[in-house]
Amino acid sequence: MINKPRGTEDILPEDSPLWRKIERTAHEVCENFGFKEIRTPVFEDTNLFQRGVGDTTDVVQKEMYTFEDKGGRSITLRPEGTASVARSFIEHSLYAGPQPTKLYYIISCYRYEKPQSGRLREFHQFGIECLGSSSPATDAEIITLALTFFKRLGITDLKLNLNSIGCPECKKEYNEKLREYFKQYENELCDTCKTRLERNPMRIIDCKSEVCSKIAEGAPKMIDFLCDECREHFDKTCKYLDSVGVEYVIDPNIVRGLDYYTRTVFEITSDALGAQSTVCGGGRYNGLIEEIGGKPTEGIGFALGIERLVMIMKAQGFTGDVASGTDIFIGSIGDKADIAASVLVYNLRLNGINAERDLLGRSVKAQMKYANKIGSRFSMVLGEDEVDSMQANLKNMETGETVSVKLNADEIAKLL
Ligand code: HAM
């Protein structure tokens, strides 16, 4: 027997309604906020993530599904959506349209991580990206979109944590302070973090190794080193959030795991999740578009993990959209009626009716048992007489009432 690959999940029919509810709500809320859907390829040129996400990040250094295709190109399954959206923005000159460019996506992502509850190798994200606005009002709007989405779903007990990690200018001084701090513990750091010490000491802060994260607890905080413009941007973002009554906690420990972030970063957490408590993460990335070959363009966005969201919803007792179920089951006795049933079912389905028939050659008694089991609202049995007279009894399965009807799909459809 062949099993699913480690770190992947099958979404079975019993869970699909919850996924559909999440996806439907995402489409609706994005529409309310003026975001348009974008779909990009599952795989991209490896360079895109190396340059976009950053080659000192855990994602690029340890977690990418990278392979050479038959044409000798280095290809990577997308570990996230932002870099692909940024590439598409440049490639299709989306900056030439009305600005800012507001996009959203619902995608699968791939990271070679150690699987555990809420951490998979194939997972799904609902994410948004707003490109071309540097205003702190945009930061607040993006955060509000995430919160509106959760609210619309009815999810409670979420915490919004906010921080600013400054711009390349104020990061310079901060990085010096970080190097000084981590230098004292150089021998204790993991091998990857030893190499990060010179190149990008901020990455040590979100290293998953226990020793490194313990050491990082005492590290200086970026929020204490913000330049005047970054401080003003952060204060204004908070003011916009305050004005719409959004509650948040300023958490100086949030640095995010991807290199493209500048200024505002945020995470939304839930106690229902255990160790992997972050359901949504995002922030501003003012240097990304330029980094991957476009004109300097500011950006901000977030992505939330759908599997983690499903875990929260299950813990909070949610069920999904109720499937509409079977409208009518057409039973049959004998070969002639079997053909007539298949024609009737075909024509009812063309009319948008959820119609079923027997596909296993069961006795009429067993067919009716099946109709009951699947909860069909109506049923009908066709035998030779019914086919010859083109007339049959339509039975309401709940009340037991029957009416005689013509074997005509349009007329039956009107009665269901
Ligand atoms: P991220 O924090 O790497 O950010 O991922 C966003 C969310 O995806 C996480 O909060 C989590 O819910 C989910 N997630 C991440 N990795 C896994 C995993 N291995 N298994 C299950 N769920 C996972 C980004 O991806 C950025 N692109 C977000 C962004 C958009 N920033 C700006 N724009």
Side-chain angles (χ1 to χ4, degrees), residues 80 82 111 113 118 120 125 129 256 260-261 278-279 301 305:
E80 57 107 54
T82 311
R111 296 186 193 176
E113 297 204 69
L120 293 153
Q125 287 188 341
E129 312 294 347
R256 308 282 300 131
Y260 47 62
Y261 289 110
T278 307
V279 63

Side-chain angles (χ1 to χ4, degrees), residues 59 63 79-83 105 109-111 113 116 118-125 127-130 256-258 260-261 266-268 273 276-285 299-309:
V59 169
E63 297 167 2
E80 57 107 54
T82 311
Y105 48 86
C109 298
Y110 303 85
R111 296 186 193 176
E113 297 204 69
Q116 52 176 269
R119 190 193 281 168
L120 293 153
R121 290 182 174 167
E122 182 189 60
F123 60 99
H124 296 78
Q125 287 188 341
I128 68 154
E129 312 294 347
C130 179
R256 308 282 300 131
L258 315 166
Y260 47 62
Y261 289 110
F266 64 95
E267 288 180 350
I268 299 173
L273 286 175
Q276 307 301 319
S277 64
T278 307
V279 63
C280 173
R284 192 164 264 293
Y285 46 86
I300 179 162
F302 70 73
L304 59 88
I306 301 182
E307 283 82 359
R308 290 189 193 175
L309 178 54

